[in-house]
């Protein structure tokens, strides 16, 4: 009788659960039994592992083989357990020393020829192993750079099972040639890193020259709102006729945001790795992601879902970045209202019959919509052809509770001929605006040192009112609006947060009455006096 054990990781959403892989060999009728709540793809590992071992020059043990995955109550799926299962079998057969396996965490798929193929979710798997005290991990060679992002963990990237056996047996590793690939074709081994149909997240492609804010003509109020949104991570609603520049503005918002901190980069990369949208050769997401799903997106694709345990949706893919919903009024009402909880808590808690999980969703939401179905209501571009009832139904798709969570609401008017012809001469560049945003973020970070918050939009209203009180009379206009029913209690808190952002942009130690008035104007569209913070 032989017994061996090693470790792998099961992913539940974007969180890893350590799984002990045990192999037991006993005399009896030869067979291979896999237990521990595996799904179909994991059950098929029996055939993959057997073929990989035989084609790697290892004799298959002609005994009764049982492989157990513990804890048995956790659902397990995918092909990432193949390496751990194969090594546990080799340890039970005494082909390698079982003691070499107990302190290793292994993740990777096996091809029938014994080559190791990459899988999704390596980063969160290694993070879970590091948190559990493991300091050595074995991963496919293609994902070794991704696993190396976790500090304090020694990463062994292997190309084949033969290499791994030699390394664990203290033998010279064989030279493995890459799998033959037709000239001009992509590496087939990398196909396991991408989710079919993963394009539901329209991530902004990497470009040599990112979109510049100087390319947007006119739109002074919208540009100012964009700067405020970036400085305090405030949600933004752009309303205006077709062709006014709403999409252009939204696409340039990620360029105004500061680069991600190391902690934020790891969180964003983990989500992208699990979702299968991490670009090959780019193991770390260092810039704020930009996600722009089509307005026909389902609730599962936007919030997270799928068969079995849910997978990350667009709100999680935009974690620490921007989620842009163009033609928001064309989205389903239930889909839009599902955003209300993530906007408040910064996370999605999805419950299914076979499990519940938490997905991160700390994002900056940008909504864009036309004023009516034809897009000409209230404009000089032509007479609106929509009936009043149609206009009301169209606008009602953006519910009051959702808009109450949006701090900035700006009307984007059509660009005049003079503004369009002026071009970039009268427009600031992304670099200039981003510098002011970075300075405002630094002021907020210095003020919030020692607290769990990083930006003004995260600070609870009670803390702003008690820990950092405003001068006497500064909130008079907001209090009057609340008394008249124009503002809810949540709305008052959000006005206060925007006022702090305006003060940070202007270099003031705390907001004044003019900052509160400007915040009210950005929320309601009603002028309250001279603007504060930012530039027109």
């Amino acid at each position: 009788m032989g017994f061996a054990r090693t470790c792998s990781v099961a992913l539940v959403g974007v969180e890893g659960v350590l799984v002990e892989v045990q192999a037991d060999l006993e005399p009896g009728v030869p067979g291979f039994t896999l237990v521990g709540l595996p799904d179909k793809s994991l059950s098929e590992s029996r055939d993959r592992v057997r073929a990989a071992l035989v084609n790697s020059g290892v004799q298959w043990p002609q005994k009764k083989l049982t492989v157990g995955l513990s804890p048995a109550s956790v659902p397990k799926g995918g092909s990432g357990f193949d390496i751990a299962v194969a090594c546990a079998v080799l340890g039970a057969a005494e082909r390698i020393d079982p003691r070499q396996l107990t302190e290793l965490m292994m993740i990777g798929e096996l091809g029938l020829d014994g080559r190791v193929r990459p899988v999704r979710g390596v980063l969160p798997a290694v993070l879970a192993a590091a948190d559990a005290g493991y300091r050595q991990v074995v991963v496919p060679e293609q994902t070794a750079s991704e696993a190396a992002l976790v500090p304090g963990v020694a990463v062994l990237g292997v190309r084949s099972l033969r290499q791994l056996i030699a390394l664990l047996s203290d033998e010279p590793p064989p030279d493995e040639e890459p799998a033959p690939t037709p000239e001009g074709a992509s590496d087939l081994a990398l196909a396991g890193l991408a989710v079919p149909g993963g394009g539901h997240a329209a991530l902004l492609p990497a470009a040599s020259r990112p979109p510049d804010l100087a390319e947007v003509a006119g739109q002074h109020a919208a540009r100012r709102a964009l700067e405020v949104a970036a400085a305090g991570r405030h949600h933004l609603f752009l309303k205006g006729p077709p062709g006014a520049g709403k999409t252009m503005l939204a696409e340039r918002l990620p360029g105004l945001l500061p680069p991600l901190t190391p902690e934020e980069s790891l969180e964003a990369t983990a989500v992208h790795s699990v979702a299968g949208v991490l670009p090959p050769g780019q193991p770390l997401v260092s810039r704020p992601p930009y996600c722009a799903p089509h307005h026909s997106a389902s609730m599962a694709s936007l919030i997270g879902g799928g068969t079995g345990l849910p997978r990350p949706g667009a709100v999680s893919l935009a974690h620490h970045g921007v989620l842009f919903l163009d033609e928001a009024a064309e989205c389903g009402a239930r889909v839009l209202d599902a955003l209300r909880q993530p906007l408040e808590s910064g996370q999605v808690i999805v419950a299914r019959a076979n499990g519940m999980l938490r997905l991160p969703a700390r994002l900056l939401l940008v909504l864009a919509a036309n004023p009516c179905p034809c897009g000409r209501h209230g404009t000089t571009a032509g007479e609106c052809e929509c009936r009043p009832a149609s206009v009301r139904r169209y606008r009602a798709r953006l519910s009051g509770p959702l808009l109450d969570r949006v701090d900035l609401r700006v009307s984007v008017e059509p660009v005049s001929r003079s503004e369009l012809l002026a071009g970039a001469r009268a427009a600031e560049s992304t670099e200039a605006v981003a510098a002011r945003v970075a300075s405002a973020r630094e002021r907020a970070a210095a003020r919030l040192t020692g607290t769990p918050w990083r930006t003004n939009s995260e600070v609870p209203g009670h803390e702003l009112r008690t820990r950092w009180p405003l001068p006497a009379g500064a909130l008079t206009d907001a209090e009057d609006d609340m008394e008249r029913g124009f503002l809810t209690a949540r709305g008052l808190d959000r006005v206060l947060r925007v006022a702090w952002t305006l003060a940070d942009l202007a270099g003031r130690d705390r907001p004044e009455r003019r900052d509160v008035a400007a915040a009210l104007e950005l929320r309601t569209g009603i002028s309250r006096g001279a603007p504060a913070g930012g530039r027109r």
Side-chain angles (χ1 to χ4, degrees):
M1 183 181 74
F3 178 82
R5 71 181 71 191
T6 188
C7 178
S8 191
V9 176
L11 290 177
V12 182
V14 294
E15 297 177 354
V17 178
L18 259 67
V19 174
E20 187 179 52
V21 181
Q22 304 172 342
D24 178 72
L25 279 173
E26 295 181 354
V29 178
F32 190 166
T33 303
L34 182 64
V35 297
L37 210 57
D39 69 352
K40 180 65 175 177
S41 61
L42 180 51
S43 297
E44 293 173 348
S45 68
R46 294 175 297 186
D47 301 316
R48 291 193 300 270
V49 169
R50 187 197 304 268
L53 285 174
V54 172
N55 289 324
S56 298
V58 179
Q59 184 178 2
W60 184 258
Q62 298 301 314
K63 295 181 180 180
K64 180 182 178 182
L65 172 63
T66 303
V67 174
L69 308 175
S70 298
S73 59
V74 176
K76 306 167 192 71
S79 56
F81 293 88
D82 287 2
I83 295 181
V85 171
C87 288
V89 172
L90 290 171
E94 298 182 349
R95 172 62 179 81
I96 57 179
D97 188 351
R99 293 173 296 181
Q100 295 274 4
L101 306 176
T102 55
E103 297 181 357
L104 290 178
M105 192 281 291
M106 303 183 178
I107 181 170
E109 178 185 332
L110 285 174
L112 299 185
D113 59 353
R115 293 185 182 273
V116 177
R117 300 174 63 92
V119 294
R120 300 186 301 271
V122 166
L123 178 59
V126 177
L127 284 170
D131 291 340
Y134 283 81
R135 293 296 174 259
Q136 290 182 303
V137 299
V138 178
V139 298
E141 185 181 54
Q142 294 91 334
T143 56
S145 57
E146 181 182 341
L149 296 173
V150 182
V153 176
V155 178
L156 176 60
V158 294
R159 184 174 293 178
S160 70
L161 185 58
R162 286 181 290 270
Q163 274 189 350
L164 181 57
I165 294 174
L167 291 170
L168 295 177
S169 304
D170 293 327
E171 300 173 359
D175 293 330
E176 293 286 350
E177 295 293 333
T181 303
E183 186 177 355
S186 59
D187 188 356
L188 295 178
L190 299 177
L193 297 178
V195 176
H200 75 280
L203 300 176
L204 191 65
S208 57
R209 190 181 70 88
D212 197 326
L213 195 59
E215 299 168 355
V216 180
Q219 305 302 352
H220 304 294
R223 291 168 61 94
R224 176 166 170 261
L226 213 67
E227 180 177 344
V228 175
R233 194 150 60 181
H234 302 288
H235 305 309
L236 174 64
F237 175 39
L238 301 172
K239 182 178 71 173
K246 303 185 294 296
T247 303
M248 287 186 66
L249 288 163
E251 289 178 347
R252 283 148 181 79
L253 180 55
L256 303 181
L257 301 177
L260 300 181
T261 64
E263 180 183 355
E264 292 171 342
S265 293
L266 286 179
E267 293 177 2
T269 303
V271 176
H272 284 67
S273 177
V274 170
V277 295
L278 193 64
Q282 299 181 19
L284 184 67
V285 178
S286 58
R287 293 292 307 172
Y290 174 84
C291 193
H294 192 261
H295 62 260
S296 63
S298 65
M299 185 180 298
S301 68
L302 189 64
I303 304 300
T307 57
L309 287 174
R311 301 190 66 83
V315 294
S316 297
L317 291 171
H319 184 52
H320 293 311
V322 177
L323 174 63
F324 176 47
L325 296 183
D326 200 3
E327 306 294 346
E330 300 291 346
C331 298
R334 291 183 63 250
V335 175
L336 289 174
D337 283 338
L339 293 169
R340 287 150 55 177
Q341 184 260 342
L343 294 184
E344 284 290 318
S345 63
Q347 62 183 6
V348 177
I349 299 177
V350 184
R352 295 290 186 267
N354 58 347
M356 179 182 297
L357 58 87
R358 180 189 65 84
L359 298 170
R362 182 73 62 185
L363 56 94
L364 197 167
L365 175 67
V366 180
L367 300 171
N370 297 327
C372 67
C374 77
R376 296 194 294 269
H377 188 272
T379 69
T380 59
E383 185 178 354
C384 176
E385 300 175 354
C386 305
R387 297 181 178 180
S390 299
V391 176
R392 286 195 299 270
R393 285 194 301 268
Y394 185 81
R395 295 180 177 179
R397 295 178 185 176
L398 298 174
S399 66
L402 174 62
L403 290 180
D404 197 38
R405 291 166 167 82
V406 178
D407 304 338
L408 313 173
R409 309 172 193 175
V410 182
S411 294
V412 182
E413 303 298 336
V415 181
S416 66
R417 184 182 63 176
S418 60
E419 289 174 327
L420 188 61
L421 295 178
R425 295 194 303 271
E428 282 188 300
S429 66
T430 294
E431 183 180 1
V433 179
R436 292 200 299 271
V437 169
S439 298
R441 286 281 187 108
E442 291 172 0
R443 291 182 65 87
R447 183 174 61 253
L448 299 175
T449 300
T451 71
W453 313 297
R454 298 177 182 175
T455 59
N456 291 325
S457 64
E458 303 174 39
V459 186
H462 173 75
E463 295 289 338
L464 287 178
R465 291 189 297 270
T466 56
R467 188 180 298 193
W468 298 284
L470 268 61
L475 281 174
T476 300
D477 295 334
E479 292 170 351
D480 291 343
D481 279 10
M482 189 175 179
E483 286 292 331
R484 292 194 292 265
F486 297 154
L487 275 182
T488 62
R490 180 193 292 118
L492 180 63
D493 288 345
R494 291 185 173 273
V495 167
L496 188 55
R497 294 168 185 164
V498 174
W500 272 102
T501 299
L502 291 169
D504 289 334
L505 284 169
R508 287 188 280 273
D509 292 335
R510 57 177 177 170
E512 301 173 356
R513 183 170 181 174
R514 54 177 168 171
D515 297 309
V516 176
L520 284 169
E521 180 179 346
L522 286 169
R523 183 175 181 85
T524 63
I526 302 174
S527 178
R528 309 296 177 107
R535 296 183 182 177
R536 282 190 175 273

